[in-house]
Amino acid sequence: MLRSYLPLLIFLVLSTGVGAFFVMANTLLGPRFKRRPTTVHEDAYESGLPSDVQQGFRFGISFYLIAMLFLLFDIEVVFLYPIAVELKQFGTFALVETAVFIVLLFVALIYVWRRGALEWK
């Protein structure tokens, strides 16, 4: 039984060792800055540009709706891929369930489309 866990144990030991090595190398070889934090250091900085978003900024609901729709259709692809690969093995029941799933997602798409969630404002 222990033999089946041996590759996992070796992987854990090696990954922990590599992580510890990089932390120690960074501590020993990395630069040591002793600056006091200023407003420039505390400002948000993203992708090489200062952020225009202020602290109290709130995203609009359309941003969240688009994100949820992306997740919805991304999950659809994740569920449909295994069924498409092994459809003969799953049989007719899986085909019917997949069709119901796609119809429900299509109804949801029509609903959010009519509600205006796909229009970026």
Side-chain angles (χ1 to χ4, degrees), residues 46-82:
E46 185 174 332
S47 300
L49 299 170
S51 176
D52 293 334
V53 178
Q54 299 302 321
Q55 202 167 18
F57 180 76
R58 298 179 79 182
F59 287 102
I61 191 70
S62 61
F63 173 79
Y64 296 107
L65 288 175
I66 295 293
M68 290 300 291
L69 289 173
F70 171 76
L71 288 175
L72 178 74
F73 290 108
D74 190 38
I75 290 171
E76 174 189 3
V77 170
V78 168
F79 283 130
L80 290 179
Y81 182 74

PDB file of all heavy atoms in Angstrom, residues 46-82:
ATOM      1  N   GLU A  46      -0.793  48.601 -11.783  1.00  0.00           N
ATOM      2  CA  GLU A  46      -1.181  47.369 -12.456  1.00  0.00           C
ATOM      3  C   GLU A  46      -0.769  47.424 -13.912  1.00  0.00           C
ATOM      4  O   GLU A  46      -0.982  48.421 -14.591  1.00  0.00           O
ATOM      5  CB  GLU A  46      -2.697  47.204 -12.360  1.00  0.00           C
ATOM      6  CG  GLU A  46      -3.188  45.913 -12.911  1.00  0.00           C
ATOM      7  CD  GLU A  46      -4.671  45.732 -12.677  1.00  0.00           C
ATOM      8  OE1 GLU A  46      -5.196  46.270 -11.710  1.00  0.00           O
ATOM      9  OE2 GLU A  46      -5.281  45.069 -13.494  1.00  0.00           O
ATOM     10  N   SER A  47      -0.168  46.395 -14.396  1.00  0.00           N
ATOM     11  CA  SER A  47       0.227  46.245 -15.796  1.00  0.00           C
ATOM     12  C   SER A  47       1.130  47.375 -16.269  1.00  0.00           C
ATOM     13  O   SER A  47       1.051  47.818 -17.405  1.00  0.00           O
ATOM     14  CB  SER A  47      -1.019  46.163 -16.687  1.00  0.00           C
ATOM     15  OG  SER A  47      -1.802  45.066 -16.319  1.00  0.00           O
ATOM     16  N   GLY A  48       1.973  47.872 -15.396  1.00  0.00           N
ATOM     17  CA  GLY A  48       2.908  48.908 -15.783  1.00  0.00           C
ATOM     18  C   GLY A  48       2.332  50.304 -15.807  1.00  0.00           C
ATOM     19  O   GLY A  48       3.008  51.249 -16.156  1.00  0.00           O
ATOM     20  N   LEU A  49       1.066  50.460 -15.443  1.00  0.00           N
ATOM     21  CA  LEU A  49       0.428  51.769 -15.449  1.00  0.00           C
ATOM     22  C   LEU A  49      -0.231  52.030 -14.096  1.00  0.00           C
ATOM     23  O   LEU A  49      -0.775  51.114 -13.485  1.00  0.00           O
ATOM     24  CB  LEU A  49      -0.645  51.838 -16.537  1.00  0.00           C
ATOM     25  CG  LEU A  49      -0.153  51.638 -17.961  1.00  0.00           C
ATOM     26  CD1 LEU A  49      -1.332  51.496 -18.899  1.00  0.00           C
ATOM     27  CD2 LEU A  49       0.712  52.801 -18.386  1.00  0.00           C
ATOM     28  N   PRO A  50      -0.208  53.275 -13.655  1.00  0.00           N
ATOM     29  CA  PRO A  50      -0.940  53.580 -12.419  1.00  0.00           C
ATOM     30  C   PRO A  50      -2.436  53.388 -12.638  1.00  0.00           C
ATOM     31  O   PRO A  50      -2.957  53.629 -13.721  1.00  0.00           O
ATOM     32  CB  PRO A  50      -0.614  55.039 -12.143  1.00  0.00           C
ATOM     33  CG  PRO A  50       0.375  55.455 -13.152  1.00  0.00           C
ATOM     34  CD  PRO A  50       0.507  54.398 -14.185  1.00  0.00           C
ATOM     35  N   SER A  51      -3.101  52.964 -11.619  1.00  0.00           N
ATOM     36  CA  SER A  51      -4.532  52.688 -11.740  1.00  0.00           C
ATOM     37  C   SER A  51      -5.335  53.976 -11.660  1.00  0.00           C
ATOM     38  O   SER A  51      -5.049  54.856 -10.846  1.00  0.00           O
ATOM     39  CB  SER A  51      -4.967  51.740 -10.621  1.00  0.00           C
ATOM     40  OG  SER A  51      -6.342  51.546 -10.675  1.00  0.00           O
ATOM     41  N   ASP A  52      -6.352  54.083 -12.510  1.00  0.00           N
ATOM     42  CA  ASP A  52      -7.259  55.227 -12.464  1.00  0.00           C
ATOM     43  C   ASP A  52      -8.433  54.974 -11.532  1.00  0.00           C
ATOM     44  O   ASP A  52      -9.235  55.859 -11.287  1.00  0.00           O
ATOM     45  CB  ASP A  52      -7.797  55.539 -13.867  1.00  0.00           C
ATOM     46  CG  ASP A  52      -6.694  56.028 -14.787  1.00  0.00           C
ATOM     47  OD1 ASP A  52      -5.704  56.571 -14.275  1.00  0.00           O
ATOM     48  OD2 ASP A  52      -6.837  55.867 -16.004  1.00  0.00           O
ATOM     49  N   VAL A  53      -8.550  53.770 -11.022  1.00  0.00           N
ATOM     50  CA  VAL A  53      -9.679  53.404 -10.182  1.00  0.00           C
ATOM     51  C   VAL A  53      -9.426  53.902  -8.770  1.00  0.00           C
ATOM     52  O   VAL A  53      -8.401  53.594  -8.163  1.00  0.00           O
ATOM     53  CB  VAL A  53      -9.889  51.871 -10.181  1.00  0.00           C
ATOM     54  CG1 VAL A  53     -11.022  51.493  -9.263  1.00  0.00           C
ATOM     55  CG2 VAL A  53     -10.116  51.381 -11.585  1.00  0.00           C
ATOM     56  N   GLN A  54     -10.349  54.668  -8.261  1.00  0.00           N
ATOM     57  CA  GLN A  54     -10.226  55.174  -6.897  1.00  0.00           C
ATOM     58  C   GLN A  54     -10.734  54.131  -5.911  1.00  0.00           C
ATOM     59  O   GLN A  54     -11.387  53.171  -6.282  1.00  0.00           O
ATOM     60  CB  GLN A  54     -11.015  56.476  -6.761  1.00  0.00           C
ATOM     61  CG  GLN A  54     -10.522  57.576  -7.676  1.00  0.00           C
ATOM     62  CD  GLN A  54      -9.062  57.918  -7.448  1.00  0.00           C
ATOM     63  OE1 GLN A  54      -8.593  57.948  -6.317  1.00  0.00           O
ATOM     64  NE2 GLN A  54      -8.326  58.146  -8.519  1.00  0.00           N
ATOM     65  N   GLN A  55     -10.474  54.360  -4.648  1.00  0.00           N
ATOM     66  CA  GLN A  55     -10.791  53.361  -3.641  1.00  0.00           C
ATOM     67  C   GLN A  55     -12.290  53.104  -3.523  1.00  0.00           C
ATOM     68  O   GLN A  55     -12.711  51.984  -3.293  1.00  0.00           O
ATOM     69  CB  GLN A  55     -10.235  53.804  -2.295  1.00  0.00           C
ATOM     70  CG  GLN A  55     -10.030  52.675  -1.337  1.00  0.00           C
ATOM     71  CD  GLN A  55      -9.191  53.105  -0.157  1.00  0.00           C
ATOM     72  OE1 GLN A  55      -9.043  54.288   0.105  1.00  0.00           O
ATOM     73  NE2 GLN A  55      -8.646  52.155   0.545  1.00  0.00           N
ATOM     74  N   GLY A  56     -13.103  54.094  -3.687  1.00  0.00           N
ATOM     75  CA  GLY A  56     -14.536  53.927  -3.540  1.00  0.00           C
ATOM     76  C   GLY A  56     -15.255  53.551  -4.822  1.00  0.00           C
ATOM     77  O   GLY A  56     -16.474  53.560  -4.884  1.00  0.00           O
ATOM     78  N   PHE A  57     -14.510  53.210  -5.873  1.00  0.00           N
ATOM     79  CA  PHE A  57     -15.107  52.907  -7.174  1.00  0.00           C
ATOM     80  C   PHE A  57     -15.865  51.591  -7.120  1.00  0.00           C
ATOM     81  O   PHE A  57     -15.393  50.619  -6.556  1.00  0.00           O
ATOM     82  CB  PHE A  57     -14.006  52.832  -8.239  1.00  0.00           C
ATOM     83  CG  PHE A  57     -14.510  52.524  -9.613  1.00  0.00           C
ATOM     84  CD1 PHE A  57     -15.132  53.500 -10.364  1.00  0.00           C
ATOM     85  CD2 PHE A  57     -14.391  51.256 -10.144  1.00  0.00           C
ATOM     86  CE1 PHE A  57     -15.596  53.227 -11.630  1.00  0.00           C
ATOM     87  CE2 PHE A  57     -14.860  50.968 -11.405  1.00  0.00           C
ATOM     88  CZ  PHE A  57     -15.467  51.963 -12.143  1.00  0.00           C
ATOM     89  N   ARG A  58     -17.059  51.583  -7.709  1.00  0.00           N
ATOM     90  CA  ARG A  58     -17.859  50.357  -7.766  1.00  0.00           C
ATOM     91  C   ARG A  58     -18.096  49.989  -9.220  1.00  0.00           C
ATOM     92  O   ARG A  58     -18.434  50.822 -10.041  1.00  0.00           O
ATOM     93  CB  ARG A  58     -19.196  50.583  -7.066  1.00  0.00           C
ATOM     94  CG  ARG A  58     -19.027  50.914  -5.599  1.00  0.00           C
ATOM     95  CD  ARG A  58     -20.343  51.156  -4.963  1.00  0.00           C
ATOM     96  NE  ARG A  58     -20.948  49.863  -4.691  1.00  0.00           N
ATOM     97  CZ  ARG A  58     -22.135  49.721  -4.169  1.00  0.00           C
ATOM     98  NH1 ARG A  58     -22.864  50.770  -3.888  1.00  0.00           N
ATOM     99  NH2 ARG A  58     -22.618  48.521  -3.947  1.00  0.00           N
ATOM    100  N   PHE A  59     -17.926  48.710  -9.512  1.00  0.00           N
ATOM    101  CA  PHE A  59     -18.180  48.230 -10.861  1.00  0.00           C
ATOM    102  C   PHE A  59     -19.681  48.166 -11.107  1.00  0.00           C
ATOM    103  O   PHE A  59     -20.456  47.865 -10.206  1.00  0.00           O
ATOM    104  CB  PHE A  59     -17.588  46.831 -11.054  1.00  0.00           C
ATOM    105  CG  PHE A  59     -16.097  46.824 -11.164  1.00  0.00           C
ATOM    106  CD1 PHE A  59     -15.307  46.447 -10.102  1.00  0.00           C
ATOM    107  CD2 PHE A  59     -15.489  47.204 -12.348  1.00  0.00           C
ATOM    108  CE1 PHE A  59     -13.942  46.442 -10.200  1.00  0.00           C
ATOM    109  CE2 PHE A  59     -14.114  47.206 -12.466  1.00  0.00           C
ATOM    110  CZ  PHE A  59     -13.335  46.830 -11.385  1.00  0.00           C
ATOM    111  N   GLY A  60     -20.068  48.399 -12.364  1.00  0.00           N
ATOM    112  CA  GLY A  60     -21.471  48.304 -12.726  1.00  0.00           C
ATOM    113  C   GLY A  60     -21.935  46.854 -12.766  1.00  0.00           C
ATOM    114  O   GLY A  60     -21.148  45.922 -12.879  1.00  0.00           O
ATOM    115  N   ILE A  61     -23.240  46.678 -12.690  1.00  0.00           N
ATOM    116  CA  ILE A  61     -23.809  45.335 -12.670  1.00  0.00           C
ATOM    117  C   ILE A  61     -23.574  44.617 -13.990  1.00  0.00           C
ATOM    118  O   ILE A  61     -23.478  43.390 -14.029  1.00  0.00           O
ATOM    119  CB  ILE A  61     -25.308  45.390 -12.311  1.00  0.00           C
ATOM    120  CG1 ILE A  61     -25.857  44.008 -12.014  1.00  0.00           C
ATOM    121  CG2 ILE A  61     -26.101  46.025 -13.434  1.00  0.00           C
ATOM    122  CD1 ILE A  61     -25.369  43.422 -10.749  1.00  0.00           C
ATOM    123  N   SER A  62     -23.424  45.354 -15.080  1.00  0.00           N
ATOM    124  CA  SER A  62     -23.202  44.699 -16.381  1.00  0.00           C
ATOM    125  C   SER A  62     -21.874  43.949 -16.397  1.00  0.00           C
ATOM    126  O   SER A  62     -21.765  42.905 -17.043  1.00  0.00           O
ATOM    127  CB  SER A  62     -23.254  45.723 -17.507  1.00  0.00           C
ATOM    128  OG  SER A  62     -22.242  46.686 -17.340  1.00  0.00           O
ATOM    129  N   PHE A  63     -20.884  44.448 -15.676  1.00  0.00           N
ATOM    130  CA  PHE A  63     -19.609  43.739 -15.589  1.00  0.00           C
ATOM    131  C   PHE A  63     -19.810  42.368 -14.958  1.00  0.00           C
ATOM    132  O   PHE A  63     -19.307  41.358 -15.445  1.00  0.00           O
ATOM    133  CB  PHE A  63     -18.610  44.562 -14.769  1.00  0.00           C
ATOM    134  CG  PHE A  63     -17.331  43.841 -14.490  1.00  0.00           C
ATOM    135  CD1 PHE A  63     -16.349  43.754 -15.458  1.00  0.00           C
ATOM    136  CD2 PHE A  63     -17.116  43.238 -13.261  1.00  0.00           C
ATOM    137  CE1 PHE A  63     -15.169  43.086 -15.203  1.00  0.00           C
ATOM    138  CE2 PHE A  63     -15.940  42.575 -13.003  1.00  0.00           C
ATOM    139  CZ  PHE A  63     -14.966  42.500 -13.979  1.00  0.00           C
ATOM    140  N   TYR A  64     -20.557  42.311 -13.882  1.00  0.00           N
ATOM    141  CA  TYR A  64     -20.785  41.044 -13.195  1.00  0.00           C
ATOM    142  C   TYR A  64     -21.665  40.108 -14.025  1.00  0.00           C
ATOM    143  O   TYR A  64     -21.469  38.895 -14.013  1.00  0.00           O
ATOM    144  CB  TYR A  64     -21.410  41.284 -11.816  1.00  0.00           C
ATOM    145  CG  TYR A  64     -20.487  42.038 -10.900  1.00  0.00           C
ATOM    146  CD1 TYR A  64     -20.721  43.365 -10.571  1.00  0.00           C
ATOM    147  CD2 TYR A  64     -19.355  41.430 -10.382  1.00  0.00           C
ATOM    148  CE1 TYR A  64     -19.868  44.051  -9.739  1.00  0.00           C
ATOM    149  CE2 TYR A  64     -18.489  42.100  -9.553  1.00  0.00           C
ATOM    150  CZ  TYR A  64     -18.757  43.417  -9.231  1.00  0.00           C
ATOM    151  OH  TYR A  64     -17.898  44.089  -8.415  1.00  0.00           O
ATOM    152  N   LEU A  65     -22.625  40.665 -14.738  1.00  0.00           N
ATOM    153  CA  LEU A  65     -23.473  39.828 -15.585  1.00  0.00           C
ATOM    154  C   LEU A  65     -22.671  39.187 -16.713  1.00  0.00           C
ATOM    155  O   LEU A  65     -22.834  37.995 -16.994  1.00  0.00           O
ATOM    156  CB  LEU A  65     -24.631  40.650 -16.152  1.00  0.00           C
ATOM    157  CG  LEU A  65     -25.709  41.032 -15.151  1.00  0.00           C
ATOM    158  CD1 LEU A  65     -26.722  41.956 -15.814  1.00  0.00           C
ATOM    159  CD2 LEU A  65     -26.393  39.805 -14.605  1.00  0.00           C
ATOM    160  N   ILE A  66     -21.807  39.963 -17.336  1.00  0.00           N
ATOM    161  CA  ILE A  66     -20.969  39.404 -18.399  1.00  0.00           C
ATOM    162  C   ILE A  66     -20.041  38.332 -17.826  1.00  0.00           C
ATOM    163  O   ILE A  66     -19.831  37.277 -18.434  1.00  0.00           O
ATOM    164  CB  ILE A  66     -20.158  40.515 -19.099  1.00  0.00           C
ATOM    165  CG1 ILE A  66     -21.094  41.484 -19.821  1.00  0.00           C
ATOM    166  CG2 ILE A  66     -19.136  39.937 -20.051  1.00  0.00           C
ATOM    167  CD1 ILE A  66     -21.842  40.902 -20.988  1.00  0.00           C
ATOM    168  N   ALA A  67     -19.489  38.565 -16.648  1.00  0.00           N
ATOM    169  CA  ALA A  67     -18.605  37.577 -16.021  1.00  0.00           C
ATOM    170  C   ALA A  67     -19.373  36.294 -15.709  1.00  0.00           C
ATOM    171  O   ALA A  67     -18.872  35.183 -15.920  1.00  0.00           O
ATOM    172  CB  ALA A  67     -17.992  38.154 -14.752  1.00  0.00           C
ATOM    173  N   MET A  68     -20.591  36.412 -15.206  1.00  0.00           N
ATOM    174  CA  MET A  68     -21.387  35.229 -14.896  1.00  0.00           C
ATOM    175  C   MET A  68     -21.763  34.472 -16.172  1.00  0.00           C
ATOM    176  O   MET A  68     -21.770  33.234 -16.183  1.00  0.00           O
ATOM    177  CB  MET A  68     -22.653  35.627 -14.128  1.00  0.00           C
ATOM    178  CG  MET A  68     -22.357  36.106 -12.727  1.00  0.00           C
ATOM    179  SD  MET A  68     -21.536  34.870 -11.713  1.00  0.00           S
ATOM    180  CE  MET A  68     -22.833  33.695 -11.521  1.00  0.00           C
ATOM    181  N   LEU A  69     -22.065  35.201 -17.232  1.00  0.00           N
ATOM    182  CA  LEU A  69     -22.376  34.532 -18.492  1.00  0.00           C
ATOM    183  C   LEU A  69     -21.160  33.800 -19.036  1.00  0.00           C
ATOM    184  O   LEU A  69     -21.281  32.689 -19.565  1.00  0.00           O
ATOM    185  CB  LEU A  69     -22.887  35.551 -19.516  1.00  0.00           C
ATOM    186  CG  LEU A  69     -24.266  36.105 -19.232  1.00  0.00           C
ATOM    187  CD1 LEU A  69     -24.591  37.227 -20.208  1.00  0.00           C
ATOM    188  CD2 LEU A  69     -25.307  35.016 -19.297  1.00  0.00           C
ATOM    189  N   PHE A  70     -20.001  34.403 -18.910  1.00  0.00           N
ATOM    190  CA  PHE A  70     -18.779  33.728 -19.341  1.00  0.00           C
ATOM    191  C   PHE A  70     -18.601  32.428 -18.564  1.00  0.00           C
ATOM    192  O   PHE A  70     -18.299  31.380 -19.147  1.00  0.00           O
ATOM    193  CB  PHE A  70     -17.566  34.635 -19.156  1.00  0.00           C
ATOM    194  CG  PHE A  70     -16.273  33.924 -19.389  1.00  0.00           C
ATOM    195  CD1 PHE A  70     -15.858  33.631 -20.667  1.00  0.00           C
ATOM    196  CD2 PHE A  70     -15.488  33.524 -18.329  1.00  0.00           C
ATOM    197  CE1 PHE A  70     -14.663  32.962 -20.899  1.00  0.00           C
ATOM    198  CE2 PHE A  70     -14.306  32.856 -18.532  1.00  0.00           C
ATOM    199  CZ  PHE A  70     -13.893  32.576 -19.823  1.00  0.00           C
ATOM    200  N   LEU A  71     -18.762  32.487 -17.254  1.00  0.00           N
ATOM    201  CA  LEU A  71     -18.618  31.281 -16.437  1.00  0.00           C
ATOM    202  C   LEU A  71     -19.659  30.231 -16.814  1.00  0.00           C
ATOM    203  O   LEU A  71     -19.358  29.038 -16.874  1.00  0.00           O
ATOM    204  CB  LEU A  71     -18.737  31.626 -14.952  1.00  0.00           C
ATOM    205  CG  LEU A  71     -17.557  32.369 -14.364  1.00  0.00           C
ATOM    206  CD1 LEU A  71     -17.844  32.752 -12.926  1.00  0.00           C
ATOM    207  CD2 LEU A  71     -16.304  31.538 -14.456  1.00  0.00           C
ATOM    208  N   LEU A  72     -20.874  30.667 -17.068  1.00  0.00           N
ATOM    209  CA  LEU A  72     -21.945  29.743 -17.426  1.00  0.00           C
ATOM    210  C   LEU A  72     -21.600  28.967 -18.691  1.00  0.00           C
ATOM    211  O   LEU A  72     -21.673  27.733 -18.714  1.00  0.00           O
ATOM    212  CB  LEU A  72     -23.251  30.516 -17.628  1.00  0.00           C
ATOM    213  CG  LEU A  72     -24.461  29.713 -18.051  1.00  0.00           C
ATOM    214  CD1 LEU A  72     -24.974  28.917 -16.873  1.00  0.00           C
ATOM    215  CD2 LEU A  72     -25.531  30.639 -18.571  1.00  0.00           C
ATOM    216  N   PHE A  73     -21.167  29.655 -19.724  1.00  0.00           N
ATOM    217  CA  PHE A  73     -20.876  28.968 -20.979  1.00  0.00           C
ATOM    218  C   PHE A  73     -19.533  28.247 -20.935  1.00  0.00           C
ATOM    219  O   PHE A  73     -19.332  27.269 -21.647  1.00  0.00           O
ATOM    220  CB  PHE A  73     -20.963  29.942 -22.145  1.00  0.00           C
ATOM    221  CG  PHE A  73     -22.382  30.372 -22.402  1.00  0.00           C
ATOM    222  CD1 PHE A  73     -22.810  31.647 -22.097  1.00  0.00           C
ATOM    223  CD2 PHE A  73     -23.293  29.467 -22.907  1.00  0.00           C
ATOM    224  CE1 PHE A  73     -24.116  32.021 -22.311  1.00  0.00           C
ATOM    225  CE2 PHE A  73     -24.606  29.828 -23.128  1.00  0.00           C
ATOM    226  CZ  PHE A  73     -25.016  31.106 -22.824  1.00  0.00           C
ATOM    227  N   ASP A  74     -18.635  28.697 -20.095  1.00  0.00           N
ATOM    228  CA  ASP A  74     -17.384  27.977 -19.906  1.00  0.00           C
ATOM    229  C   ASP A  74     -17.653  26.637 -19.226  1.00  0.00           C
ATOM    230  O   ASP A  74     -17.108  25.608 -19.619  1.00  0.00           O
ATOM    231  CB  ASP A  74     -16.435  28.824 -19.066  1.00  0.00           C
ATOM    232  CG  ASP A  74     -15.045  28.248 -19.019  1.00  0.00           C
ATOM    233  OD1 ASP A  74     -14.600  27.735 -20.058  1.00  0.00           O
ATOM    234  OD2 ASP A  74     -14.414  28.327 -17.957  1.00  0.00           O
ATOM    235  N   ILE A  75     -18.515  26.630 -18.243  1.00  0.00           N
ATOM    236  CA  ILE A  75     -18.878  25.387 -17.560  1.00  0.00           C
ATOM    237  C   ILE A  75     -19.634  24.466 -18.514  1.00  0.00           C
ATOM    238  O   ILE A  75     -19.478  23.240 -18.466  1.00  0.00           O
ATOM    239  CB  ILE A  75     -19.697  25.696 -16.298  1.00  0.00           C
ATOM    240  CG1 ILE A  75     -18.783  26.341 -15.254  1.00  0.00           C
ATOM    241  CG2 ILE A  75     -20.344  24.445 -15.730  1.00  0.00           C
ATOM    242  CD1 ILE A  75     -19.500  26.888 -14.058  1.00  0.00           C
ATOM    243  N   GLU A  76     -20.421  25.047 -19.405  1.00  0.00           N
ATOM    244  CA  GLU A  76     -21.123  24.223 -20.394  1.00  0.00           C
ATOM    245  C   GLU A  76     -20.131  23.425 -21.235  1.00  0.00           C
ATOM    246  O   GLU A  76     -20.295  22.222 -21.448  1.00  0.00           O
ATOM    247  CB  GLU A  76     -21.975  25.108 -21.301  1.00  0.00           C
ATOM    248  CG  GLU A  76     -22.621  24.352 -22.427  1.00  0.00           C
ATOM    249  CD  GLU A  76     -23.280  25.266 -23.443  1.00  0.00           C
ATOM    250  OE1 GLU A  76     -23.196  26.492 -23.316  1.00  0.00           O
ATOM    251  OE2 GLU A  76     -23.876  24.718 -24.381  1.00  0.00           O
ATOM    252  N   VAL A  77     -19.082  24.073 -21.671  1.00  0.00           N
ATOM    253  CA  VAL A  77     -18.080  23.382 -22.488  1.00  0.00           C
ATOM    254  C   VAL A  77     -17.385  22.298 -21.675  1.00  0.00           C
ATOM    255  O   VAL A  77     -17.130  21.199 -22.178  1.00  0.00           O
ATOM    256  CB  VAL A  77     -17.057  24.398 -23.054  1.00  0.00           C
ATOM    257  CG1 VAL A  77     -15.883  23.702 -23.691  1.00  0.00           C
ATOM    258  CG2 VAL A  77     -17.745  25.311 -24.049  1.00  0.00           C
ATOM    259  N   VAL A  78     -17.115  22.575 -20.419  1.00  0.00           N
ATOM    260  CA  VAL A  78     -16.457  21.581 -19.561  1.00  0.00           C
ATOM    261  C   VAL A  78     -17.337  20.340 -19.412  1.00  0.00           C
ATOM    262  O   VAL A  78     -16.842  19.212 -19.403  1.00  0.00           O
ATOM    263  CB  VAL A  78     -16.121  22.194 -18.186  1.00  0.00           C
ATOM    264  CG1 VAL A  78     -15.720  21.135 -17.185  1.00  0.00           C
ATOM    265  CG2 VAL A  78     -15.024  23.227 -18.329  1.00  0.00           C
ATOM    266  N   PHE A  79     -18.637  20.522 -19.296  1.00  0.00           N
ATOM    267  CA  PHE A  79     -19.534  19.372 -19.152  1.00  0.00           C
ATOM    268  C   PHE A  79     -19.799  18.666 -20.477  1.00  0.00           C
ATOM    269  O   PHE A  79     -20.049  17.463 -20.501  1.00  0.00           O
ATOM    270  CB  PHE A  79     -20.859  19.792 -18.531  1.00  0.00           C
ATOM    271  CG  PHE A  79     -20.781  20.008 -17.060  1.00  0.00           C
ATOM    272  CD1 PHE A  79     -21.272  21.161 -16.490  1.00  0.00           C
ATOM    273  CD2 PHE A  79     -20.216  19.056 -16.230  1.00  0.00           C
ATOM    274  CE1 PHE A  79     -21.206  21.359 -15.129  1.00  0.00           C
ATOM    275  CE2 PHE A  79     -20.137  19.241 -14.862  1.00  0.00           C
ATOM    276  CZ  PHE A  79     -20.634  20.399 -14.314  1.00  0.00           C
ATOM    277  N   LEU A  80     -19.773  19.382 -21.566  1.00  0.00           N
ATOM    278  CA  LEU A  80     -20.083  18.771 -22.855  1.00  0.00           C
ATOM    279  C   LEU A  80     -18.913  18.001 -23.461  1.00  0.00           C
ATOM    280  O   LEU A  80     -19.127  17.056 -24.208  1.00  0.00           O
ATOM    281  CB  LEU A  80     -20.557  19.846 -23.843  1.00  0.00           C
ATOM    282  CG  LEU A  80     -21.920  20.437 -23.556  1.00  0.00           C
ATOM    283  CD1 LEU A  80     -22.250  21.494 -24.591  1.00  0.00           C
ATOM    284  CD2 LEU A  80     -22.983  19.370 -23.521  1.00  0.00           C
ATOM    285  N   TYR A  81     -17.705  18.370 -23.144  1.00  0.00           N
ATOM    286  CA  TYR A  81     -16.553  17.714 -23.761  1.00  0.00           C
ATOM    287  C   TYR A  81     -16.475  16.220 -23.441  1.00  0.00           C
ATOM    288  O   TYR A  81     -16.328  15.402 -24.358  1.00  0.00           O
ATOM    289  CB  TYR A  81     -15.260  18.427 -23.367  1.00  0.00           C
ATOM    290  CG  TYR A  81     -14.054  17.821 -24.016  1.00  0.00           C
ATOM    291  CD1 TYR A  81     -13.803  18.017 -25.363  1.00  0.00           C
ATOM    292  CD2 TYR A  81     -13.187  17.013 -23.292  1.00  0.00           C
ATOM    293  CE1 TYR A  81     -12.709  17.449 -25.975  1.00  0.00           C
ATOM    294  CE2 TYR A  81     -12.089  16.431 -23.895  1.00  0.00           C
ATOM    295  CZ  TYR A  81     -11.856  16.656 -25.230  1.00  0.00           C
ATOM    296  OH  TYR A  81     -10.775  16.079 -25.829  1.00  0.00           O
ATOM    297  N   PRO A  82     -16.572  15.801 -22.174  1.00  0.00           N
ATOM    298  CA  PRO A  82     -16.501  14.353 -21.911  1.00  0.00           C
ATOM    299  C   PRO A  82     -17.648  13.571 -22.545  1.00  0.00           C
ATOM    300  O   PRO A  82     -17.460  12.427 -22.988  1.00  0.00           O
ATOM    301  CB  PRO A  82     -16.568  14.242 -20.389  1.00  0.00           C
ATOM    302  CG  PRO A  82     -16.334  15.585 -19.867  1.00  0.00           C
ATOM    303  CD  PRO A  82     -16.637  16.556 -20.939  1.00  0.00           C
TER     304      PRO A  82
END
